[in-house]
Amino acid sequence: MTEIWSPEDRTEYLEQQPAEPYRLGTEQVLTVLRVDKGAGLSRREARSRLERCGKNELRAEEPVPAWRKFLAQFTDVLVVLLLAAAFVSAGLWLYERDAALPYEAIAIFAIVLLNAVMGYCQQARAEQAIAALRQMSAAQARVVRDGAHQTVPAAELVPGDIILLEEGDTVPADARLIQSTALQTAEAALTGESLPVRKDTATVTGEVELGDRHNMIYSGTAVTYGRGLAAVTATGMRTEMGRIAGMLRAAQDETTPLQAELTRVGKLLGLVVVAIAVVMIATILFVEDIQGVSALFDVLILGVALAVAAVPEGLPAIVTAALSLGVQRMAQKKAIVRHLAAVETLGSAEVIATDKTGTLTKNEMTVRAVATASGHVTVSGIGYAPVGQLTRDDGGDLDELLRSEVECALFAAEQANNAALQEQDGRWIVQGDPTEGALIVAARKAGLEAAALGNRFVRIAEIPFSSERKLMSTVHSDAEHQEHVFIATKGAPDVLLARCSHEFVGRHPRALTEERRNEILATNEELAGKALRTLAVASRSLPKDNFGSSAPDDAVEQDLVFLGLIGMIDPPREEAREAVARARAAGIRPIMITGDHPRTASAIAVELGIMADTRAVTGAQLEGMSDEALDHAVRDVSVYARVNPEHKLRIVQALQRNGLTVAMTGDGVNDAPALKAADIGVAMGMTGTDVSKEAADMVLADDNFATIVAAVEEGRGIFSNIRKFLRYLLSSNIGEVMTMFFGVVLIEALGLSGASGDKVVLPLLATQILWINFVTDGAPALALGVDPVDPAVMRRPPRPREEGVLTPRTWAGIIFVGVVTAVGTLFVLDASLPGGLVEGSGTLRYAQTMAFTTLVLFQLFNVFNARSDEGSAFEGLDRNAWLWGAIALALLLQIAVIYIPFLQKAFSTVSLSVCDWLFCTAVASSVLLLRELSKVVTRAMDRRH
Ligand code: ATP
C-alpha cells in the first residue's frame, strides 16, 4: 500500500490533494489524518488546519468591482443622450457666454450624477440583502470536535474532521467512511449513476473508478438512507466536485415574474414616451418659429429630459430592493426565503398543505399509555423529565404479569432507539427524534435503567426508519444467549402487527389469533381517537447462524412477537389554531398531510379547526384512486393520513390540476419531489434534511405552521407595496408627460406663444423636468415601498396568479391622476401668464416656476392616492413616518430650488410669494380630492356587483 502523506510532513498532507484514501484501512486513514475517531480534532487543531487549507468552499468568480457597478449606471441610452446634451449645452455656453457659468450643463450633470448615486445605492442595498439571504441558508455540518458533537458551518470543515451523516444530509466534503449503518448516497451529480449507491467501510484493493469507491462519500452528493461516520479527506476545490465544477459561477441573478413584467412595462412606456417626445419636438418646430442653434438645442434637450423623466428606468432596482427588504423582514419572522420569486407566489397561495408533527404540533412527545396483552397502563408526568408513575387504567397498581409485559415493551422501545436523554443545567433534553426520546423517558419511569440492561445487549446492526417503511429495528448480541441475536422493532402499529405472528403474554409468546389482532387494532384506534400518536413494539430472537450479515435487510422483521402499543401525546402548538383561523380568513385552505394514524390526525385537525368532521383519507385509499377521482377528492378533503412521500406529490399535482396555488411543507429526503412540484415548497429548518431544504423555496427556521401564515402576510404586503409605488411612479410620470405634451400642443390657447420674445417657449424647462423626476421619484417612492403591511391584506382572498401587478383598474387610476395633474399644472401656467384662456400678469419665468412648483406639489399629494386603488388615502396615515419625512424633504428641496440664487439660475426659477404657494397648493390638492371621489364611486360600484 502506498503511503500517501508523510505523517511527518503536515503541510504536505494538508495542502495536497490526498490520493486514494479508499485504498487505506479505516485505522490507517485516521492515523494519516492524525485524528482520533472518538474525540475528533481539537478546536485549535481545526482552526490551524483551516488557516492552512482554506475554507471548504468552491472558489467563486471575482465579484464585479464597485466602480464598474457605478459606471454601469451611465450605460442607459437615455442617460448617455442626456450627458451628450449637457456637453453640447456647455459647448454652447462657451460659444455664446450668455451667463457667468454654464448653469444648465451643471444642473444636468449634477442631476445625472445624483441619479446614478441613487441607483447605485439602491442596487447595492438589494445585492447586500440577497447576499445576506444566501448566508442564512448556508450549509451546516455535524462534526465531532473535542470529543463532543457539534454543528459548524460546512465551510469550516478541514481534512481530518470526523463528520456525522444521516438520511437527507448533503455530504459537506469528500470523506472516508469509518462507520456505516446501511448508508446509501445519490451520486448522480458526480458519476451519473441514477440509483442510490450502498456505502460501507471495507478497504478497496487496487485502483478503481470513482463510482466503485464504496467506502468514500463525496461532497455535494446526498445521503438517501442510513447513517454513518466519516473522516474528511479533501475540502473545497480539492474535492471531486471542486475538480469537475471548476470555478463556481457567480450565482445568477434570477428574474422574478414581477420583475419581468415591469421590464416589459418599462420598455413599452419608453417607446410611448420616445414617440411622444418626437411628436412634441416636431410640433414645437412646426408651430414655433425656431431661430438659432441654441433654441433648437433647447427643444432637443427637452425631448431627451422628458424621456429620461418619464421612463422608470430605476424600477427593477426598486422592486428588487422592496422584495429583498421584505425577505429580510420575513427572515426576522423566521421564514427564510431562498428565491425572490417565492415572495410573489406566497401572496397568491390558496392552499397550505402542511405536515403535522412539529409544524402544527410541538413535537414534544410524552408517552401517556401503554397497552399490552394483560391490560392498559397510564403514564403520568410531563415533558422529558423521567419522573412519573405507571398505573393501571382502572386506577390500581400493576400486577406482576402486566408489569413484566410493560417492561418488555418499553425495553424493546428503548433498544430500537437512536435518541439520547440528557440532563443539562437541571433541564432534561432529548438529542435526536422526540418520538424516540419519549420512549426512553417512559422506560425510565418504569424503572428500566439503561446501564443495567445495556451491558447484556450490544447493538450490532440497525435497519433504519424511513417514512415509507414506518418501522425501525435494531439487532443485538445477547451476552446470556450467545448463540442468539435479539431483534427489537418499533413502528406504526398497523404496519408492525402485520409482521407479528405471536404476542407476548406474561413471560411467554402466544400465537396471535385473528380476534386478538382485531382487538389490538381496536385499541390502537381508541388511543388514536384521543389524539395520541401510536407506536407498536415487537421483538424476536434469532439463532446467530441464521443472521449472517452485519447489514441486514427487512427480511428479519418477520415472525415478530408483539409486545404492546404505546400512545404518546404531542400537544398542538398554541399559535397553530389562530394561524389556521387567519389563513381561512385570508381565503387560504390549510390541509394536513401526515404519516400518522388517521384517527390521531383527525383528532388534531378538528382541535385546530382544519376540519369540522373526522373524514380523513389514508395513503392506502389514495393508492386506490384514479387521478380523476383524486382531482375530485382534493376539493374537500382536508386531512390525509398514513401517507408516504410519493402520495404527497400526487396530492400537490391534483390540487394544481384544480387550478390552485399550493404551498407544501416537507422535511424528509423523499419529500423533495413534492416540494419541487409545489408552487411554494416549504422545508423545515430544525428537523428538515438538507435535501428537502435544497428543494424548497422557503425554509422555516422554527418549523412552525404559524410562520408560513406570517410569511404569506408579508408576501401579500410586499406585493401591495410594490403596487403602491408603481401607481405612484407611473401616475406621476404620465402626469409630467401629459403636461409637456399638451403644453406644447396648446401653446396658443395657453397664451404661451404671446409670452415669447424671440426665444422658443416651453411649458417647463429640461432641467426642471429632471429635477421633478429626481425629487419625487426618489424618497417618496422608496417610502411607499416600506409602507407597513396593511392588516386588511389578510382579509382579502388570494391574488390570482395570472393577475399582473398592474390591473386595468390600476391603469385607469394612473391615467386619471395623469390627466388631473396635466390639467391643473397647465391651468396654473395659463393663469400666470397674460393672454390664453385665463388672464394673468406674470413673466414667462414666473409662470414656469409656478407650473414647476405645482407639478411637484401634485406629485406629493399623489403619494397618498397611490396607497390604494379603492381605499381612502386618509386611512392609516400615521403608520408610515418615512412617508412624511420623504415629503418634507421633497418640499425643502423645492423651496431651495426656488429661493437659493445659484439654484435659481441653474433651474431658471424666481422667488414665489406666500400667495403663490397657496394658489399652487390649492390647485395641486385637487388630485387628492378628485381621486378620493373617484374611489368612492369605485367602492359603490364594487358593492353593487
Ligand atoms: P408528519 O408527516 O406530520 O411529520 P409523522 O412524523 O407522524 O407525521 P412519520 O415520521 O412518517 O410521520 O411517521 C409515521 C409513523 O411511523 C408514525 O405514526 C409512527 O407510528 C411511526 N414512527 C414514527 N417515528 C418512528 C420511529 N422513530 N421509529 C419507528 N416508528 C416510528
Side-chain angles (χ1 to χ4, degrees), residues 728 856-866 873 887 920-928:
Y728 173 68
V856 166
L857 290 175
F858 258 122
Q859 312 219 340
L860 297 184
F861 277 111
N862 187 32
V863 170
F864 300 104
N865 289 329
I887 290 173
C920 295
T921 310
V923 173
S925 66
S926 64
V927 77
L928 192 59

Side-chain angles (χ1 to χ4, degrees), residues 545-695:
D545 300 340
N546 292 10
F547 178 78
S549 115
S550 60
D553 57 30
D554 66 353
V556 300
E557 293 166 324
Q558 296 293 346
D559 274 337
L560 297 165
V561 181
F562 182 80
L563 298 174
L565 288 172
I566 299 175
M568 49 186 89
I569 49 161
D570 177 16
R573 288 175 179 268
E574 281 102 24
E575 61 278 32
R577 210 188 147 76
E578 197 214 316
V580 167
R582 273 166 61 72
R584 284 194 178 289
I588 305 166
R589 184 156 74 96
I591 64 177
M592 179 198 277
I593 305 183
T594 173
D596 225 334
H597 191 280
R599 293 284 299 268
T600 317
S602 314
I604 303 253
V606 170
E607 199 171 327
L608 291 175
I610 290 179
M611 67 175 187
D613 52 26
T614 52
R615 200 165 76 91
V617 168
T618 64
Q621 288 168 331
L622 272 180
E623 256 158 41
M625 279 186 202
S626 66
D627 279 351
E628 291 73 40
L630 184 60
D631 287 356
H632 206 264
V634 291
R635 289 184 203 146
D636 37 43
V637 174
S638 294
V639 175
Y640 300 85
R642 276 284 184 263
V643 293
N644 291 340
E646 67 264 28
H647 297 142
K648 282 189 167 182
L649 180 63
R650 279 192 73 202
I651 299 171
V652 173
Q653 289 169 337
L655 287 164
Q656 287 174 327
R657 281 196 295 274
N658 277 292
L660 295 166
T661 304
V662 187
M664 158 81 94
T665 70
D667 47 13
V669 211
N670 303 328
D671 287 339
L675 290 178
K676 282 215 178 97
D679 299 286
I680 309 139
V682 183
M684 300 297 139
M686 281 154 64
T687 55
T689 55
D690 293 346
V691 174
S692 63
K693 288 182 202 166
E694 259 151 52

Side-chain angles (χ1 to χ4, degrees), residues 354-357 416 433 435-436 465-467 470-472 490-493 533-535 593-597 642-643 648 667:
T354 170
D355 286 341
K356 172 180 69 68
T357 311
D433 181 356
T435 302
E436 298 191 341
F465 174 78
S466 78
S467 293
K470 299 189 169 52
L471 285 180
M472 82 90 89
K490 69 181 194 325
R533 176 176 170 86
T534 58
L535 256 151
I593 305 183
T594 173
D596 225 334
H597 191 280
R642 276 284 184 263
V643 293
K648 282 189 167 182
D667 47 13

